Structures are given as structure tokens and as C-alpha cells.
Amino acid sequence: MRTDQNLLIKKAIGLLQELIATPSFSSEEDMTAQLLENWFHEFDIPYTRVNNNVFAFNKCFDKAKPTLLLNSHHDTVKPNGAYTKDPFDPQIIDGKLFGLGSNDAGGCLVSLIATFTYFYESENLNHNIIIAATAEEESSGGKGLNSLLSILPKIDVAIVGEPTQMNLAIAEKGLVIFDAIVNGTPSHAAHPNNNNAIYNTIEVLEWFKNYRFPKTSEVLGEVKLTVTQINGGSQHNVVPANVNLVIDVRVNDRYNNKEIADMLSREAPCELKPRSLRLNSSSIDKNHPLVSSGVALGRSTYGSPTLSDQATLSCPSLKLGPGDSTRSHTADEYIYIKEIEEGINLYIKILDGFLTN
């Protein structure tokens, strides 16, 4: 027996208001995890909590079947100084639900939880379903989704809930952050120096500005390399020994992160060290039945430039959710109530097409 959709929508909006009213910065999600536990208690669904992650299996879970993961996060960034509204006051004004985390990714999370609850008791599905409401996504911390993957059964395909206006992000760029050092000869500013690290940086910056990776992705386009930080020197009369740069590289699905690191380490005119290689790009075949089910409902496909917990998954994964990515991390963040209603209805229709054929 399936729970009434209108009831689930009403309950999901109420849960989102509770989540907004409860601060849940990355690694501080204890209280919002309790709110998620309350949902599963109310609907009599057995669940497991590990740290601040809460997950549950559908009632008819069968180890012989492949498994679909539904995942989104309940942590938030900290509110910025431009807020004009209380970030923890879940006001509804002109059809908009305001509050920190409403769009990223509370609307997605409650919509996926409602969808899981709708299918919880369904029999004869062709996939198992796991719902995982996870922590530390915004900080890429060690106690989020990545910490569950050794505990959960094998995941064959996943939907990661992030705001996509319910269109189908069939690929997502990976990320590698590099620390770079441009070396020179330290000296007193009053003396000649033909090896000034700051002047040497000009050539290095031009190299990064003009560098292009040869492989372009049909969905994600080029690898995007951006110098985002520069730091050098400590006082006016001293030429520093080096200048430090930070390089942000958004990786398409034609490369893995190690290939990117190897290429830049070999070719760049400075010392480079990657901070981590674990946040690889992700994708799902555009002809995958899950994608086809969404396309049949009129949803478009695209490649996403932003990073999510997809980066921790090794299976095919689809980024999909209500809300608009451009509102994420902005002042007076909001999501439309109608987006949550549409999100739950579309999730259910897409999964009906995928799980019952």
C-alpha cells in the first residue's frame, strides 16, 4: 500500500521547515539527524543512523536485485552577511519558503524522503531502494556519504538530490585543487635581482591562463582551470623566496583526476601538489533506463559544472532535484513551494517508469 502523495507533500514541507529552523552546519548536523529519525518513526520505517547520516531500505529489499540509492544532504554552509531575513526562520511569502538550506539541498532531501516513503511498501520492483540522508557534503568531510559506502550493499545506480529544476544532470565535473609554488631568489629590495619570485609569477600565470586540456566532453565541455588564490611577500623591502598559488581544476568525464595531476605536474612551469584526487567526475549513460524515464516526461539532460556527493560514488549516478542551483549559498535563500510539489510528483513518476518496467 502506498502513502497518499498529497499527505507526503504536506509532511515534506513541514519537515523542511523544521530542518531550516535547526542549524546544521557541516559536522554539526546532530539535531537535523534527529528530525530525520522522527520522520522514519512516524511512518514506521526501520532505519539506521551512523554519525549524522540516516539511511533506510525499502520493505521488500531483496539481495538478488540491483539497488537504487536516493541520496541528498542535510548539512548547510554558514549564512553570509548579506541576509536580510533570519536564515533560521522558515517563512513562506508569496509561495516562497525562505531559509538557509531550503534550496541547497533541503527541498531535494525532503522530496526524496517522501518519494522513498511512497515506494517503501511496494512489491515486485525491479530494484531495491535505499534512502540516505547524509552529512558533511558542503565540506567534503570524512563522515558523510563516503563513510557509508563500505556499510551499504552494492549500489548499482543513484539519484543524488541537488537543485536542477528537475532536469537531468547526466554528468558532473570532478575537482582537483592544486597548491603551486613559484620559486625565486630572496633578497633586499634595494639590490639587483634577476630571479624575483613575484616577477616569475607573471609568466606562470600566463601559462595557466592559456593552458588547454585536449579532450573535450560532449556533455561537460572542456576541463576548466582557474587560478583562484595568490600569496607572496611579507614586508616592503624583502623580495620573497617564493609565491604561493591555488589552482582550481574542474575535470570533465574524459579524464580521471590522476591523469589531470600527472599532466600538470609534468608540464606546468612551477611546483605543483594536488590536495586530493578522490573527487572525480561522474556520469550516467544518456540511454540508461532511469534517464529515459525522465526524458519521457519531458525533462531535459545537461552536464553540471558544480560538485556534489556524486563524486564519492563509483556507480552510474544522476543529479536531479527541485530548486535552482543559482540560489545556492546566496542571501535570503528560498525554494518555491510549488517546486517541492512538482519535485515529489516527478520523482515518483520517474521512478514508476524505471522501477516497474
Side-chain angles (χ1 to χ4, degrees), residues 215-244:
K215 297 179 185 177
T216 299
S217 164
E218 178 184 350
V219 180
L220 293 172
E222 294 183 341
V223 175
K224 188 175 188 302
L225 182 156
T226 309
V227 179
T228 57
Q229 291 177 250
I230 183 168
N231 182 56
S234 58
Q235 57 192 75
H236 78 90
N237 59 350
V238 177
V239 175
N242 50 62
V243 173
N244 298 307

Side-chain angles (χ1 to χ4, degrees), residues 59-217:
K59 189 173 183 178
C60 299
F61 192 96
D62 180 350
K63 292 181 179 179
K65 293 181 179 181
T67 295
L68 166 69
L69 173 68
L70 306 179
N71 165 250
S72 192
H73 64 95
H74 59 105
D75 64 314
T76 72
V77 296
K78 293 185 177 181
N80 60 60
Y83 266 81
T84 64
K85 303 179 186 299
D86 182 347
F88 305 110
D89 182 8
Q91 303 178 67
I92 298 176
I93 302 172
D94 297 329
K96 298 177 182 177
L97 173 55
F98 287 89
L100 181 67
S102 56
N103 179 79
D104 181 17
C108 303
L109 176 64
V110 300
S111 298
L112 282 172
I113 290 173
T115 300
F116 171 82
T117 304
Y118 177 82
F119 284 101
Y120 171 69
E121 294 190 0
S122 298
E123 299 178 356
N124 301 317
L125 301 177
N126 56 31
H127 280 64
N128 302 309
I129 312 174
I130 297 174
I131 180 72
T134 50
E136 299 193 7
E137 190 272 349
E138 296 290 2
S139 62
S140 298
K143 294 183 179 179
L145 176 60
N146 52 353
S147 70
L148 296 184
L149 297 179
S150 62
I151 300 171
L152 296 176
K154 178 179 178 290
I155 306 300
D156 296 277
V157 64
I159 294 177
V160 175
E162 292 284 344
T164 69
Q165 298 179 306
M166 290 306 291
N167 289 314
L168 312 166
I170 60 173
E172 172 187 277
K173 283 189 172 179
L175 172 65
V176 188
I177 303 295
F178 291 90
D179 292 299
I181 300 176
V182 182
N183 292 309
T185 302
S187 70
H188 194 291
H191 301 308
N193 185 341
N194 293 322
N195 190 30
N196 184 316
I198 293 177
Y199 293 158
N200 293 346
T201 303
I202 297 171
E203 181 181 344
V204 173
L205 291 174
E206 281 293 324
W207 188 90
F208 281 122
K209 180 181 178 181
N210 296 320
Y211 187 82
R212 295 292 181 273
F213 293 89
K215 297 179 185 177
T216 299
S217 164

Side-chain angles (χ1 to χ4, degrees), residues 319-341:
K319 185 190 289 183
L320 173 67
D324 187 334
S325 180
T326 61
R327 297 184 211 136
S328 300
H329 303 182
T330 60
D332 298 336
E333 183 182 347
Y334 68 88
I335 190 168
Y336 286 99
I337 294 295
K338 67 181 180 182
E339 290 178 319
I340 298 171
E341 295 169 349

Side-chain angles (χ1 to χ4, degrees), residues 265-286:
S265 297
R266 184 171 60 248
E267 299 178 32
C270 61
E271 296 180 24
L272 276 179
K273 183 177 180 180
R275 294 182 183 177
S276 170
L277 298 178
R278 68 184 180 86
L279 300 176
N280 282 289
S281 62
S282 15
S283 64
I284 188 170
D285 191 294
K286 63 183 178 181

